[in-house]
């Protein structure tokens, strides 16, 4: 019997209608379009504005898009994982709510949080469930409503983040397609450089903390940038070397969309030409857990069966890693 691998067999995505442009940000903080574009590559980002709608709304929309495109029966889905840094609520599971509302009533579900690496780590977890032979349909959703934790008076963070969601379906494959290898890392000494201090168990929210925006994201941009550039490129090189892959073997680099300069540095390190680098940061900004699946959704029509995809991500914590996946279908 052939070895079972975990292959992506369907994708979906969703971004909110409201567009927050660089020009609009010029009227909110001391910045300008040229400065933002030059340093980040971002031109606009999508924001979920409706009251009472959170990450689950985005996740449900992306999952429904996948279901509509692929025709999969939600009742056949056995596991739903929502990778997110912005769950709807404390304690209550965002994934359970999502699964119920897409009709995946036979699935169990859980949330997975590893900052901007959440979806990458989720790919590893979903693959293990498939490879075990116990489950045949695992839905992995990356979704974040980053606007819920952004201070729109802080130009260091408000220019970067947007809202969105993407979804992929993992199924068993015996032709050698799917997830081939992974190299995942973390380093807790980097926690202070990108986080929202108040609102967690160490520092519960207080009226004073909220008034001073201490429940919203803060970032030491230079430190995060330096670590992201080195680590994303480093793990991409390691995954190539370990699998005896050269630049010619790579069909696409699927890199976390935090900053175009970080993506370019990763591509340059593995000597990959620009037309093999998936990029949508200019449209969405950093959607955290949603960046990787949104790339797959945007580029699905260009993907071919057998394509070699190298995923790379870096996030707060610090968390980072790379995955080598062989694409399983023609669109």
């Amino acid at each position: 019997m052939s070895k079972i691998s975990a292959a992506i067999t369907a994708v979906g995505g969703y971004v909110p209608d409201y567009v927050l442009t660089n020009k609009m940000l010029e009227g909110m903080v001391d910045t300008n379009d040229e400065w933002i574009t030059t340093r980040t590559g971002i031109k606009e980002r999508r924001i979920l504005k409706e009251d009472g709608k959170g990450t689950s709304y985005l996740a449900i929309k992306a999952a429904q898009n996948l279901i509509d495109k692929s025709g999969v029966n939600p009742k056949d889905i056995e596991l739903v994982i929502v990778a997110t840094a912005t769950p709807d609520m404390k304690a209550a599971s965002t994934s359970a709510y999502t699964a119920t509302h897409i009709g995946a009533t036979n699935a169990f579900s859980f949330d997975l949080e590893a900052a901007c690496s959440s979806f990458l780590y989720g790919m590893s977890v979903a693959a293990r469930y498939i490879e075990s032979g116990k489950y045949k349909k695992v839905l992995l959703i990356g979704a974040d409503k980053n606007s819920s934790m952004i201070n729109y008076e802080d130009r260091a963070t408000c220019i970067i983040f947007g809202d969105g969601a993407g979804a992929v379906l993992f199924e068993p494959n015996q032709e050698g397609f799917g997830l081939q290898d992974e190299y995942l890392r973390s380093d807790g000494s980097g926690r202070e450089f990108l986080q929202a201090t108040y609102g967690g168990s160490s520092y519960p929210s207080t009226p004073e903390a909220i008034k001073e925006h201490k429940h919203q994201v803060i970032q030491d941009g230079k430190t995060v940038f330096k670590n992201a550039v080195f680590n994303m490129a480093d793990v991409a090189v390691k995954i190539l070397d370990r699998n005896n892959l050269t630049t010619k073997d790579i069909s696409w680099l699927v890199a976390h969309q935090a900053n175009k300069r970080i993506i370019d540095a990763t591509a340059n390190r593995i000597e990959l030409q620009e037309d093999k680098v998936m990029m949508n940061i200019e449209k969405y900004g950093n959607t955290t857990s949603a960046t990787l699946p949104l790339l797959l959704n945007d580029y699905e029509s260009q993907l071919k069966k057998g394509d070699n995809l190298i995923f790379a991500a870096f996030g707060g914590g610090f968390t980072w890693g790379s995955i080598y996946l062989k694409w399983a279908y023609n669109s």
Side-chain angles (χ1 to χ4, degrees), residues 273-288:
Q273 55 265 47
E274 192 174 347
D275 63 357
K276 288 188 174 183
V277 180
M278 292 188 184
M279 196 89 70
N280 61 14
I281 190 171
E282 73 283 354
K283 297 189 297 181
Y284 308 139
N286 181 354
T287 54
T288 313

Side-chain angles (χ1 to χ4, degrees), residues 55-64 67 72-83 88 92-111 137-141 143 167:
T55 292
S56 64
Y57 177 82
L58 302 167
I60 290 164
K61 286 284 193 178
Q64 193 60 58
I67 290 165
V72 64
N73 185 343
K75 288 182 168 36
D76 291 336
I77 297 170
E78 297 157 290
L79 167 60
V80 176
I81 304 171
V82 173
D88 283 4
S93 169
T94 300
S95 60
Y97 186 82
T98 299
T100 296
H101 279 262
I102 63 172
T105 52
N106 294 319
F108 76 102
S109 58
F110 58 84
D111 297 352
K137 283 182 170 53
V138 175
L139 180 65
L140 171 63
I141 307 167

Side-chain angles (χ1 to χ4, degrees), residues 168-216:
V168 302
L169 183 67
F170 275 96
E171 295 186 275
N173 184 280
Q174 293 182 311
E175 300 177 275
F177 301 114
L179 199 148
Q180 306 294 309
D181 196 13
E182 63 185 45
Y183 189 83
L184 307 178
R185 308 296 297 161
S186 62
D187 178 4
S189 66
R191 180 164 79 162
E192 65 183 283
F193 300 113
L194 176 56
Q195 42 87 12
T197 307
Y198 281 78
S201 58
S202 294
Y203 300 95
S205 291
T206 65
E208 293 76 20
I210 292 172
K211 185 177 180 180
E212 296 172 17
H213 300 287
K214 290 182 178 179
H215 63 299
Q216 294 171 316

